[in-house]
Amino acid sequence: MQRKMPDFKQTKAQLRQELLKVRRSLESKDIERYSQLMGRHLFSWLDYQQANRVMIYLSTPDEPGTDDMIRHALQHGKTVCVPMMRAEYGLMDSAIIHDLADLQPGRLGIRSPKPERTTILAPAKIDLAIIPGVAFDIAGGRLGMGAGYYDRFLSLAGQAVFLGMAWRFQIKPTLPQDTHDVKMHYLLTEDGILTCRGGKM
Ligand SMILES: Nc1nc2c(c(=O)[nH]1)N(C=O)[C@@H](CNc1ccc(C(=O)N[C@@H](CCC(=O)O)C(=O)O)cc1)CN2
Ligand SMILES: Nc1ncnc2c1ncn2[C@@H]1O[C@H](COP(=O)(O)OP(=O)(O)OP(=O)(O)O)[C@@H](O)[C@H]1O
């Protein structure tokens, strides 16, 4: 007999599986087009324009692409940092990069900064964090890959505006939430930027 997960965890796991299946079925030309639109929404947003230190996730092929955002932020003189997973599962740092060439293939199919090319930025110094998700809800709730990397990390980034970034179909009215789940202030999709209920104004 299969061991039963608690209901809550099971609901999250099931939802994660369903949404990832849809995400992985997207066509690359749509991914490219929608990612470009998302870039345009971001670049014209005041919170982005005013941010000096920006943390941007390193996209996998089925996620909204962030390479153009990284290039744009670097060209505009911002300090850009990216997630660097530690050897201990569930823990990560933010590493400053100067170029997309500072990256290499990493664990879990996610690119990672080359350690010799990067320095760590304290999470408390980040102004804006652009965060991936498997799903978000309109109150800012987030469902991630299920390892708790971002929940742990963002609890240390108290200064930052949290911008969740996902395809429109990943935004749900409500998601199951744990007490440790960190809430997004805004969501970015191909349709634009949405302010989360109870988020920073
Ligand atoms: N681009 C990106 N970077 C990110 C995240 C993310 O969602 N997207 N994360 C968000 O928190 C963290 C990584 N979290 C992850 C946790 C588990 C799995 C995972 O189990 N993946 C595979 C197994 C892959 C393998 O073992 O090779 C799976 O989907 O089955 C992936 C990422 C930090 N960096
Ligand atoms: N701040 C935290 N402190 C301690 N444990 C945590 C914290 N955040 C998450 N966890 C634990 O990590 C595991 C995964 O959490 P959860 O399902 O919320 O991950 P997620 O948000 O989907 O993943 P990720 O952030 O990697 O995308 C859970 O067992 C959870 O209890």
Side-chain angles (χ1 to χ4, degrees), residues 71-130:
R71 275 189 213 101
H72 185 279
L74 288 169
Q75 277 163 10
H76 285 73
K78 299 181 192 295
T79 298
V80 176
C81 58
V82 298
M84 183 155 78
M85 288 182 268
R86 290 196 205 160
E88 305 120 282
Y89 192 72
L91 294 180
M92 66 181 189
D93 296 298
S94 49
I96 298 174
I97 58 163
H98 304 97
D99 199 294
L100 284 169
D102 293 346
L103 304 176
Q104 63 187 9
R107 284 188 298 132
L108 301 168
I110 300 171
R111 289 170 294 168
S112 186
K114 295 176 182 167
E116 70 279 9
R117 298 269 201 108
T118 58
T119 48
I120 302 295
L121 179 72
K125 299 248 169 83
I126 298 169
D127 299 319
L128 171 66
I130 302 178

Side-chain angles (χ1 to χ4, degrees), residues 16-28:
R16 188 177 287 123
Q17 228 179 6
E18 281 167 24
L19 285 160
L20 283 176
K21 201 170 143 196
V22 182
R23 197 172 79 179
R24 288 169 180 159
S25 72
L26 296 178
E27 291 191 21
S28 58

Side-chain angles (χ1 to χ4, degrees), residues 24 57-58 63 89 92 108 110 132 142 145 147 149-150:
R24 288 169 180 159
Y57 72 89
L58 296 169
E63 290 175 325
Y89 192 72
M92 66 181 189
L108 301 168
I110 300 171
R142 171 177 175 275
M145 291 295 285
Y149 281 98
Y150 271 97

Side-chain angles (χ1 to χ4, degrees), residues 23-88:
R23 197 172 79 179
R24 288 169 180 159
S25 72
L26 296 178
E27 291 191 21
S28 58
K29 69 170 188 334
D30 292 331
I31 293 178
E32 212 171 295
R33 190 158 55 97
Y34 291 143
S35 300
Q36 238 172 46
L37 276 176
M38 285 154 115
R40 271 190 244 152
H41 297 309
L42 180 74
F43 306 152
S44 59
W45 188 46
L46 196 61
D47 283 55
Y48 168 74
Q49 291 167 356
Q50 291 179 339
N52 292 318
R53 291 178 287 262
V54 187
M55 182 184 193
I56 307 180
Y57 72 89
L58 296 169
S59 51
T60 56
D62 58 331
E63 290 175 325
T66 55
D67 286 24
D68 282 348
M69 294 175 174
I70 293 173
R71 275 189 213 101
H72 185 279
L74 288 169
Q75 277 163 10
H76 285 73
K78 299 181 192 295
T79 298
V80 176
C81 58
V82 298
M84 183 155 78
M85 288 182 268
R86 290 196 205 160
E88 305 120 282

